[in-house]
Amino acid sequence: MPNLNIAYQWAINKCNQANIGYSQDYRNQQTVNGVTYYDCSSFIWYALKAGGFDVESAYRTATGETYSGNAIWTAVERAWLQALGFVQVDINGAWLAGDVLWRSGHTEMVYSGGTGQGVTMGAHSPNRPLADQASINSSTSSA
């Protein structure tokens, strides 16, 4: 049975590891020179997979294609999340820990929430120092 709490804890653990980076080329949890890489959507994929969500079946539902062996990409991630049972909520409402914040072109998981805002975590950008490429953000994001 899927467990969002396990997915949430997986994300925290990855964000707290020093050797986790951001790469679109190595986004499928590939390790290169001791660094394991994700991009924003693959980070959420592997978090939910760790939580027991049937990510591969949802891939087929969202894309209409046979699972390719690669994590979902942001362009179809919204449909994929809905296939997993996630529902869209008002961005100005309550953000809860473990919620997935999807915006066109980027996605992260809510670390701590609030009304219309929260601290997020995930794989952010290759243009940061390695320790900050996949991390818990130090500032609040808002709608």
Side-chain angles (χ1 to χ4, degrees):
M1 171 170 262
N3 187 321
L4 188 58
N5 291 324
I6 293 172
Y8 174 78
Q9 192 58 55
W10 180 96
I12 291 170
N13 292 344
K14 290 299 175 188
C15 286
N16 287 327
Q17 291 179 4
N19 62 336
I20 304 296
Y22 180 101
S23 171
Q24 290 188 338
D25 292 335
Y26 303 117
R27 65 187 295 273
N28 284 297
Q29 203 169 240
Q30 293 163 277
T31 301
V32 178
N33 296 325
V35 178
T36 302
Y37 291 99
Y38 304 89
D39 69 357
C40 64
S41 54
S42 68
F43 186 90
I44 298 300
W45 167 280
Y46 286 104
L48 295 178
K49 184 174 182 173
F53 288 83
D54 189 354
V55 297
E56 294 174 14
S57 177
Y59 179 100
R60 287 188 295 276
T61 301
T63 66
E65 301 172 6
T66 302
Y67 175 59
S68 67
N70 294 311
I72 202 75
W73 58 101
T74 307
V76 295
E77 190 171 22
R78 182 175 173 189
W80 174 76
L81 288 165
Q82 290 172 331
L84 288 169
F86 286 79
V87 295
Q88 185 173 340
V89 298
D90 181 359
I91 192 76
N92 294 306
W95 292 21
L96 304 174
D99 282 352
V100 177
L101 180 63
W102 180 91
R103 297 179 184 184
S104 181
H106 191 64
T107 186
E108 295 205 354
M109 184 177 278
V110 175
Y111 173 71
S112 62
T115 302
Q117 66 179 6
V119 175
T120 60
M121 61 181 164
H124 316 294
S125 169
N127 299 323
R128 294 183 176 188
L130 180 60
D132 296 329
Q133 290 180 19
S135 63
I136 298 168
N137 284 314
S138 58
S139 60
T140 301
S141 298
S142 61

